[in-house]
Amino acid sequence: MKRRHRHTKTNVMKLGMPPGTPMYVGEASASPTSLTVVEYDANLYEVVQCRTLEEVDSYRKSPTTTWLNIDGLEDVPLLERLAKRFQLHPLLLEDVLNTRQRPKFEDYPEHLFFVFRMYSFEPDGETLKSEQLSLVLGKDYLLSFQEEKGDIYDMLRERMRLGKGRVRTSGPDYLFYAMLDVAMDYYLLIVEHFEAHLDHIEEELLTNPTERTLQKMYEHRRDAVELRRSLLPLREALSQFARCESPLLQPETRLYIRDACDHAQRALDALDHYRESIATLTEIYLSTMSERMNQVIKRLTLVATIFIPLTFVVGVYGMNFDYMPELRWKYGYLAVWIAMITLVTAMLLYFKKRRWI
Amino acid sequence: MKRRHRHTKTNVMKLGMPPGTPMYVGEASASPTSLTVVEYDANLYEVVQCRTLEEVDSYRKSPTTTWLNIDGLEDVPLLERLAKRFQLHPLLLEDVLNTRQRPKFEDYPEHLFFVFRMYSFEPDGETLKSEQLSLVLGKDYLLSFQEEKGDIYDMLRERMRLGKGRVRTSGPDYLFYAMLDVAMDYYLLIVEHFEAHLDHIEEELLTNPTERTLQKMYEHRRDAVELRRSLLPLREALSQFARCESPLLQPETRLYIRDACDHAQRALDALDHYRESIATLTEIYLSTMSERMNQVIKRLTLVATIFIPLTFVVGVYGMNFDYMPELRWKYGYLAVWIAMITLVTAMLLYFKKRRWI
Amino acid sequence: MKRRHRHTKTNVMKLGMPPGTPMYVGEASASPTSLTVVEYDANLYEVVQCRTLEEVDSYRKSPTTTWLNIDGLEDVPLLERLAKRFQLHPLLLEDVLNTRQRPKFEDYPEHLFFVFRMYSFEPDGETLKSEQLSLVLGKDYLLSFQEEKGDIYDMLRERMRLGKGRVRTSGPDYLFYAMLDVAMDYYLLIVEHFEAHLDHIEEELLTNPTERTLQKMYEHRRDAVELRRSLLPLREALSQFARCESPLLQPETRLYIRDACDHAQRALDALDHYRESIATLTEIYLSTMSERMNQVIKRLTLVATIFIPLTFVVGVYGMNFDYMPELRWKYGYLAVWIAMITLVTAMLLYFKKRRWI
Amino acid sequence: MKRRHRHTKTNVMKLGMPPGTPMYVGEASASPTSLTVVEYDANLYEVVQCRTLEEVDSYRKSPTTTWLNIDGLEDVPLLERLAKRFQLHPLLLEDVLNTRQRPKFEDYPEHLFFVFRMYSFEPDGETLKSEQLSLVLGKDYLLSFQEEKGDIYDMLRERMRLGKGRVRTSGPDYLFYAMLDVAMDYYLLIVEHFEAHLDHIEEELLTNPTERTLQKMYEHRRDAVELRRSLLPLREALSQFARCESPLLQPETRLYIRDACDHAQRALDALDHYRESIATLTEIYLSTMSERMNQVIKRLTLVATIFIPLTFVVGVYGMNFDYMPELRWKYGYLAVWIAMITLVTAMLLYFKKRRWI
Amino acid sequence: MKRRHRHTKTNVMKLGMPPGTPMYVGEASASPTSLTVVEYDANLYEVVQCRTLEEVDSYRKSPTTTWLNIDGLEDVPLLERLAKRFQLHPLLLEDVLNTRQRPKFEDYPEHLFFVFRMYSFEPDGETLKSEQLSLVLGKDYLLSFQEEKGDIYDMLRERMRLGKGRVRTSGPDYLFYAMLDVAMDYYLLIVEHFEAHLDHIEEELLTNPTERTLQKMYEHRRDAVELRRSLLPLREALSQFARCESPLLQPETRLYIRDACDHAQRALDALDHYRESIATLTEIYLSTMSERMNQVIKRLTLVATIFIPLTFVVGVYGMNFDYMPELRWKYGYLAVWIAMITLVTAMLLYFKKRRWI
């Protein structure tokens, strides 16, 4: 999995600004900010691409539920005007725009606010990408802010169009939940993807472990740590959400939120298990490598050790002393060979007995 | 212990579905979904295999307690109709069918719901298998959902038939508890089985440790981690259950649930102790192995070190200088031998003194 | 310290039984179940060995306090009858008989129940033994269940006989506490015994560490872990006990229980400190061993390294070329010796400078 | 990053003093203690450098909000008089002056008190410096105590002058918050700076890791630990502050404080992530280094092992036995060469097969 | 720092005793138990050495505040009589005498009781010593129990004599606090002393690390662990004290106690930081040592590896074959030298390229 680009100059720019100053800190997106209104109730389902906020307003005033989706956060003045019309708290807008937000749930008097990080795969099915999503629930409308125009909620919209599930018949709070639920499904999906990797690594470890395997394990661990960093506060936020007593939230929906909370916990459990498994595999890898290295060095040292005494022996009879009786014996040479072979055999037997070879 | 098959495609399919959509994610079982009704009170005990839900309904309406056991979760439409008849919450049915559920207890207005993982041994007595079990407690009935037709509750049924214990004389909540209690007994049994393995490993470590021993320890640790992953949330769920104030639960039963909760804690304690013991044994193994390797290398290096100076000495007298007085001495050769033996002895003594050998 | 025998077949037998079935899972004791009644108040102190439960009953009805001590848990039918007479809850009796119980305190409507593990030394003063003790406090009586006839409470009885302390003048709840207090004293004693071992090990580490030392440290750690496993839930149970609001417990006694709770915490602290110390000593041992090994190998390698170039040099002049001018020089041999000695000196100085020797 | 000077003699001097004795324990600053009053409301903004406390008093009595900033804490008598005029609690003044304070929030009856450590960069943009900041919020005034005259709040003052943001229109509690917010911005900035370092280190690890890299990682870890030591209690203090129910704090401001608390949590999360990343990188470094060393030794040992048997072989034919038939053969020399080349080839093939090379 | 003597026979003696039996378990002190009364109010300050308890009583009945300091705990009968006169609870006296007490705060109906361990330096300024201190606060008196006559509170007494601070003008609860505050100051002092050691060790690590450095680090760690063992429960006790609602404690004093609690937390933070720093330094030491060792072995192996092929070469031409053409060549000898020099150069270049040297 490749790594997302890291933006590092964010907070330098924020230093001198008053708190609550809206400023977009993410990357520039290709497409401009666009406003999509989904107007629905049990009988109606209409998708409109709005140009102006006035147009949005007209939909909002209708008795049906209004879901306004904002793609792209670069047009800050537009968003500020939008915030004013929807009476969003300055801090809320700041949180929407600061795309390095910690997932959190905030219960404003007039709104419920949920910001979290959405993970999904690039079209290649391997590279992980993420964007920040902010949801604002009002009395009869829902605002969703996405960094980039994406297809994450296409299936949800299709479901709504076909009238499947309870979204159309329930209030905006259920849609709010349904959007969180999609995010949770993605988290579970990614964790399963991770787990599938584990099997590959385990196989690689057993058949042909290389230093590359180790590096891959470190990368996976890093990915898991990053996902966990978003998931842990998201679980907390969901649990806060489930306990929140705002009149904007209908009692029936609470049960669903608790379920999403359980899913988050399940994803966390799986993630922790995954991290622990990688740690164990790393340990196995390291001890296998060290074992293998030890084996190599041991055997080589063994070879050396057997030959060193032999070299000494032949050295002895290479000496040039005038008087060395063995050199004159007829079977001296043969005797030396016999002695050496005996010595080697004895050493091998000894090593065997001591389990050194 | 062999590893259960891991299904990895689950959540991909769930991505586009509305929350609460019932979908079975487990493996296809051999047998079709079957409905078994146990109809009982203090005087009556009757087991009936039902074909239709209507048949089930007739039993449910009788004044006696009805235990409906559903084996196999593949016939989703049947289960949906059943859910409607028993007024089960859509999320409840989804949880029953998603067999990778985190153990949990849920207090619905009309039902108490408990889902957990049941571990038992394959007939070989070695391989661990597990299935998800869901229990639903209603006003005068109990539903139990099993992934596969199994014999886990045969002994419980036998006990009920014979009228042993309190099951027949107490309400369905006691049966609910009794089924959880059987699961806890299995957990305790498996943990004891694990502990018995420890003794084998310890013996192996002392007599003949091999790299295989290490691998076995890693496998045991993995098994323990997996069991713990089911047991920890199960303990939590039991403790929630014990504190729940639903009118479906009679006060006398609460004491029993607390006892089951204690059993879960005991199993957890034993499991943690087991994991810690394995970790310690792994440490001992690694330090023993490294010690042994060090011994080998040390001794071999020692041998080499003794012979290297000797080889030098004999090398000296292998030189072909015209003028080398020693070569001409009568006892030159003898002197060299004496010198070398003295040198070796001195080195050995020195090494001994320094505790190197 | 030797290890207690581990019984592994317990829960297999329990699998098919209804919850609350009393079954003794411990080892068969030598002596049969015996009933000892201690009848006391401020003026009276009488010890009677009872044969039948009727005899016990007559004492219980007297206005004085009755302490019934049951030694040996094998006679299950007798204990069942006893439970019926004292109206003990079925789960209570099951807990008494299952001698692998987790220490716990239970507040039944008619009784306070405390079960814990009592550690003491065998007569040799070295081997640790343990048994499970269960205490039941009723309105004016106290039941204590011991696995084996032992002398743990002899000193307590002697104290009561002599009228020392407050036991005789206080109610059965104080006796209940006094029995827990004796257990705590034993825990503290054992932890001190452990700490004394630390000094021995430390000394051994400094003077003559062997692989045996390491093994001993692992054994001590295991003992400490086992003791902790009983002590930690015991502390929790004591703290629950101190907070319990049963009318069976007089307000004055509560202060004493809190004190016992403090003692448990102190023992736990000392135990943790002990474990940490052993871990540190193990680290020191391992780094000392590795350091020593490194020293050996380094020095031996050094020797080898010095002689290898020398061997090369003498090899050069062992060559048989027809034309090698040095061989003909008068002082060639001397020159070679001088060159070699110079070389060795230079190497030694270099090694010294680089701190390699 | 260079390390700040550590002052070690602080508490020795405090030993004999009564609690609450004001004593400045920081380093002597270059500039003397100076009093700067900022007098403001929605319409007014005035900055005055005061000489005497009487002058300060006159401003305080005016209906506008008064922000008194004290730079330099050396003039203890002046501060004592100031404390008396503003009725500060003796412990409060002691906390202001003891510049090794743990960040904390204190809710005195007449004041809210916040003390924390402010981190910023030296002009070189690399070296971290820190100073303790204390804020006291009264009914219509705010006191801020800085160790050294600095420019940290210049941007805030400029913002106030220009009337940007809400500071001028809100009460002193909002200014109080705004000052904490600036500190949080600095923390986030520094953590980002840390993260940027990570990239450098990662690159260094991949291209050219040296022992210097390891040392750098230890230094970064130490810096992170130090920052965390200030940030963790600061987060706690902020959360206490957000929950405090003092009438000095207006309800609207509470929301902002909670936001600052979130920022602190975000910085903490990032810091923890940073520490974990460094730990992982250290592990990678160590295993890479050990791997590299193993490779070196393995290959060198290999070379040695190949030549040792060869040396033995040539040694054999260097022996001076009278009767050695091979020496007389015509192709003896050639045969030896062939034998040796065959041997080397065989060994290399064997090593290759065993994956030793 | 030297280690305090460890007494190991304490609890053996306590085994048979009733709970609450006062028994002194510390070391015998040189001086006998002495009673010092400090009688004070805003106008009076008098120090009297009392002989009898009657004498003490007369002071206690006076309207001024009485501080009775008891040095030496060996005269148990005297202390028992004292306990009776002051109506101290038997458990309280037991805690005073058992000098291995865990620091704790106890709220008796008539008294507040605080027991903790006081650390200070021996006159050499290096060796740490400690003693247990117990404070009992009554309605208008304060009792303090010290193991040995010491000078810890000399400065406090001097301060009282001179009328500095609030001690004389506040009630006995403030004196109670002041005595705790002195203890906290000592803790902070000792932690600073520890931190100063860190600098020494760091320097030693950089210039000349030896095995002695490692041992020193282990000793420091042990000292820190021991201090922490007293400090952690002390912090808890202080925080309990701050929350206690006894009428013996005046509301104004509560703020001071909270401040002492903050100091304890600060000392704990510093201690934890210190322990972490030592752990990091130990890691650095170990990796430095291992790195250095690797360097040594690598270079030495390198030398060996270069000479081994050379030795083979010269061995070749030391063979005695009849037919070896090279030996007859005129420049054979020279050619061998050139070949060998070329070989060495090539190897060195290769090693350099591979970064092995």
Side-chain angles (χ1 to χ4, degrees), chain A residues 56-160:
Chain A
V56 171
D57 253 17
S58 63
Y59 286 106
R60 187 183 155 197
K61 278 165 196 152
S62 71
T64 52
T65 307
T66 307
W67 167 18
L68 171 60
N69 185 53
I70 297 100
D71 291 310
L73 306 175
E74 287 200 295
D75 191 349
V76 176
L78 177 77
L79 295 174
E80 282 187 285
R81 272 181 296 131
L82 184 130
K84 212 160 275 172
R85 270 177 202 265
F86 284 87
Q87 288 171 297
L88 305 180
H89 194 278
L91 284 173
L92 192 158
L93 187 60
E94 195 196 4
D95 284 348
V96 166
L97 289 170
N98 186 343
T99 54
R100 305 189 67 193
Q101 207 55 46
R102 199 173 181 261
K104 69 172 178 182
F105 166 75
E106 201 74 52
D107 180 1
Y108 288 100
E110 302 290 315
H111 302 101
L112 296 184
F113 175 57
F114 210 110
V115 59
F116 60 100
R117 191 151 279 279
M118 178 93 188
Y119 281 85
S120 57
F121 286 109
E122 298 273 12
D124 67 357
E126 268 299 308
T127 319
L128 214 60
K129 66 174 181 183
S130 78
E131 63 170 325
Q132 178 169 308
L133 252 135
S134 312
L135 304 179
V136 177
L137 177 66
K139 211 181 130 46
D140 49 5
Y141 58 88
L142 176 82
L143 311 180
S144 62
F145 298 85
Q146 273 183 271
E147 279 189 75
E148 274 176 75
K149 206 172 180 64
D151 49 3
I152 306 167
Y153 287 124
D154 281 0
M155 278 187 290
L156 178 61
R157 278 191 208 97
E158 184 62 15
R159 229 159 70 201
M160 285 173 76

Side-chain angles (χ1 to χ4, degrees), chain D residues 36-270:
Chain D
T36 315
V37 163
V38 177
E39 194 68 26
Y40 73 92
D41 64 8
N43 305 313
L44 178 86
Y45 178 80
E46 197 181 346
V47 181
V48 197
Q49 203 68 31
C50 293
R51 295 265 168 112
T52 62
L53 289 174
E54 285 70 29
E55 213 176 327
V56 172
D57 252 19
S58 63
Y59 285 106
R60 187 184 154 196
K61 277 164 198 153
S62 70
T64 52
T65 308
T66 307
W67 166 19
L68 171 59
N69 185 52
I70 297 100
D71 291 308
L73 307 175
E74 287 200 295
D75 190 349
V76 175
L78 176 77
L79 295 173
E80 282 187 284
R81 272 180 296 132
L82 183 131
K84 212 161 276 172
R85 271 178 201 263
F86 284 86
Q87 287 171 297
L88 306 180
H89 195 279
L91 284 173
L92 192 159
L93 187 60
E94 193 196 4
D95 284 346
V96 166
L97 288 171
N98 185 345
T99 54
R100 304 191 68 194
Q101 207 55 46
R102 199 173 182 262
K104 70 172 177 182
F105 166 75
E106 202 75 53
D107 180 1
Y108 289 99
E110 302 290 315
H111 302 101
L112 296 184
F113 175 56
F114 211 110
V115 59
F116 61 99
R117 191 151 277 281
M118 178 95 189
Y119 281 85
S120 58
F121 287 109
E122 297 274 11
D124 67 357
E126 269 299 309
T127 319
L128 216 58
K129 66 175 180 183
S130 78
E131 63 171 326
Q132 178 168 308
L133 252 135
S134 313
L135 304 180
V136 177
L137 178 66
K139 209 179 131 48
D140 49 5
Y141 58 88
L142 176 82
L143 309 181
S144 62
F145 298 84
Q146 273 182 272
E147 279 189 77
E148 274 176 74
K149 203 171 183 64
D151 47 5
I152 306 167
Y153 287 124
D154 281 0
M155 278 187 290
L156 178 61
R157 279 191 209 99
E158 184 61 16
R159 228 159 70 201
M160 286 173 77
R161 196 177 63 79
L162 298 175
K164 272 198 208 162
R166 307 162 128 259
V167 182
R168 291 266 294 276
T169 54
S170 311
D173 57 331
Y174 189 86
L175 177 58
F176 194 84
Y177 151 72
M179 292 178 81
L180 288 171
D181 189 62
V182 169
M184 284 322 308
D185 282 348
Y186 270 108
Y187 272 103
L188 283 168
L189 183 72
I190 288 160
V191 173
E192 278 192 356
H193 191 88
F194 281 179
E195 283 177 342
H197 273 293
L198 261 194
D199 287 340
H200 291 306
I201 293 175
E202 230 178 308
E203 218 185 291
E204 213 175 300
L205 267 188
L206 288 176
T207 56
N208 184 18
T210 63
E211 207 177 333
R212 174 76 196 115
T213 319
L214 186 65
Q215 205 176 324
K216 239 192 265 172
M217 285 191 287
Y218 279 121
E219 276 168 28
H220 285 310
R221 197 159 80 177
R222 199 182 50 195
D223 281 340
V225 164
E226 198 181 312
L227 203 68
R228 190 173 198 281
R229 213 180 145 192
S230 295
L231 190 50
L232 192 66
L234 174 52
R235 201 251 341 243
E236 281 169 40
L238 278 168
S239 129
Q240 258 180 290
F241 185 19
R243 284 192 316 270
C244 121
E245 308 209 328
S246 164
L248 291 168
L249 196 61
Q250 291 173 34
E252 305 93 80
T253 313
R254 210 174 297 262
L255 211 59
Y256 285 90
I257 298 166
R258 226 154 64 200
D259 192 65
C261 201
D262 278 348
H263 286 199
Q265 186 58 51
R266 204 164 90 207
L268 259 181
D269 281 4

Side-chain angles (χ1 to χ4, degrees), chain E residues 159-176:
Chain E
R159 228 160 70 201
M160 287 172 76
R161 197 178 60 81
L162 298 175
K164 271 198 210 163
R166 305 162 129 261
V167 182
R168 291 266 296 275
T169 53
S170 312
D173 58 332
Y174 189 87
L175 177 57
F176 194 84

